[in-house]
């Protein structure tokens, strides 16, 4: 029986954990500086509420787009690209100027966060299938840790009266670095399809077969533990 902790699985788990952490850090970073944004832009409560609502609108707009992107690129590529774009939208929230800048920033950030959230959770489901173990609690725990760190960074910089834009740029650079460094560990479109096929395949009597590359005789695993598209009894 192959080990659940093959190099490929460990690499995927590490990358997905960091991407969850990364997304949480961006959220914690900008939420903590909302009072400063309101103060520097002299926004009323109503104006601030309307601007924050733009983030929700952007997130809702991403929902019909996510399945198309994940089908075309795979959730791994969508996660990588939109994690970087999300990081780039955060500094827009602190740029002084016309209100249209922050509204645009909120809409874009909501949209990109929505795509990233759906895509990274699809990666998490693939990891659970690959390991045949529950991993979602750990992933979302990393998201919470990222939120805590992002809030701490913003809180410390805010204490020293650093402007929100400087704060957001610093976190943006760190977020892009994390996204780039851990991009190769995400599941590819072919790997996701293989895991889905193996999870949904008819196992017959259950002997000599593998589900999600984690049980059975391991004939549908490559040398590094990556699931192959076909079981050993099938031909391409």
């Amino acid at each position: 029986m192959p080990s659940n902790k093959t190099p490929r699985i460990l690499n995927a788990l590490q990358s997905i954990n960091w991407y969850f952490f990364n997304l949480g850090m961006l959220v914690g970073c900008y939420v903590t500086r909302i009072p400063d944004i309101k103060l520097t832009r002299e926004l009323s409560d109503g104006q601030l509420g309307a601007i924050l609502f733009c983030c929700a609108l952007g997130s809702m707009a991403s929902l019909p787009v996510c399945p198309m992107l994940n089908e075309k690129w795979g959730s791994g590529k969508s996660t990588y690209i939109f994690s970087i774009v999300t990081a780039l939208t955060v500094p827009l929230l602190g740029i002084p100027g016309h209100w249209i800048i922050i509204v645009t920033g909120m809409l874009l950030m909501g949209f990109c966060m929505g795509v990233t959230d759906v895509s990274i959770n699809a990666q998490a489901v693939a990891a659970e299938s690959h390991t045949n173990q529950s991993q979602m609690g750990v992933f979302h725990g990393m998201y919470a840790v990222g939120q805590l760190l992002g809030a701490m960074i913003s809180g410390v910089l805010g204490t020293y009266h650093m402007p929100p834009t400087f704060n957001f740029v610093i976190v943006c650079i760190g977020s892009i670095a994390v996204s780039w460094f851990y991009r190769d560990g995400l599941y590819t479109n072919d790997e996701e399809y293989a895991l889905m096929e193996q999870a949904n395949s008819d196992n017959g009597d259950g002997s000599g077969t593998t589900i999600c590359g984690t049980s059975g005789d391991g004939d549908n695993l490559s040398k590094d533990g990556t699931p192959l598209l076909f079981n050993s009894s099938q031909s391409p």
Side-chain angles (χ1 to χ4, degrees):
M1 179 181 295
S3 171
N4 282 351
K5 301 301 182 182
T6 62
R8 178 66 186 102
I9 291 176
L10 290 173
N11 193 21
L13 292 176
Q14 182 183 50
S15 293
I16 296 169
N17 270 310
W18 276 106
Y19 270 89
F20 269 100
F21 172 89
N22 201 19
L23 185 60
M25 181 176 65
L26 291 173
V27 173
C29 168
Y30 95 85
V31 167
T32 307
R33 298 305 298 264
I34 286 176
D36 295 319
I37 293 173
K38 179 185 177 184
L39 183 63
T40 56
R41 290 180 175 272
E42 300 180 347
L43 300 172
S44 67
D45 291 340
Q47 290 172 325
L48 179 63
I51 289 172
L52 293 177
F53 183 64
C54 291
C55 185
L57 288 178
S59 183
M60 290 178 61
S62 72
L63 296 179
V65 179
C66 291
M68 294 185 290
L69 291 174
N70 289 341
E71 183 178 357
K72 181 178 180 179
W73 291 344
S75 63
K77 189 173 183 180
S78 295
T79 298
Y80 170 57
I81 291 175
F82 280 91
S83 289
I84 291 178
V85 180
T86 299
L88 292 173
T89 63
V90 173
L92 292 176
L93 309 181
I95 296 177
H98 199 272
W99 62 268
I100 197 68
I101 297 176
I102 191 171
V103 167
T104 302
M106 278 290 182
L107 286 170
L108 287 174
M109 186 179 68
F111 181 87
C112 295
M113 277 189 174
V115 176
T116 304
D117 189 35
V118 172
S119 300
I120 192 59
N121 275 283
Q123 287 283 299
V125 171
E128 289 190 326
S129 295
H130 201 174
T131 60
N132 207 22
Q133 295 175 347
S134 176
Q135 305 286 346
M136 204 64 75
V138 177
F139 293 145
H140 285 92
M142 286 296 291
Y143 177 85
V145 172
Q147 283 186 314
L148 180 61
L149 180 62
M152 288 176 61
I153 292 172
S154 293
V156 170
L157 293 178
T159 301
Y160 288 96
H161 306 291
M162 296 293 179
T165 306
F166 175 79
N167 184 170
F168 297 157
V169 168
I170 292 297
V171 174
C172 171
I173 293 172
S175 176
I176 291 174
V178 169
S179 297
W180 182 85
F181 190 78
Y182 290 101
R183 70 192 188 284
D184 291 335
L186 297 173
Y187 288 108
T188 65
N189 203 9
D190 288 342
E191 288 175 323
E192 287 184 87
Y193 179 67
L195 288 165
M196 180 183 67
E197 286 293 301
Q198 291 170 11
N200 295 330
S201 64
D202 182 6
N203 295 313
D205 61 2
S207 61
T209 58
T210 355
I211 299 176
C212 308
T214 57
S215 61
D217 58 10
D219 285 341
N220 61 342
L221 291 175
S222 65
K223 292 181 179 180
D224 65 352
T226 303
L228 302 176
L229 187 56
F230 298 97
N231 289 328
S232 57
S233 59
Q234 297 173 306
S235 58

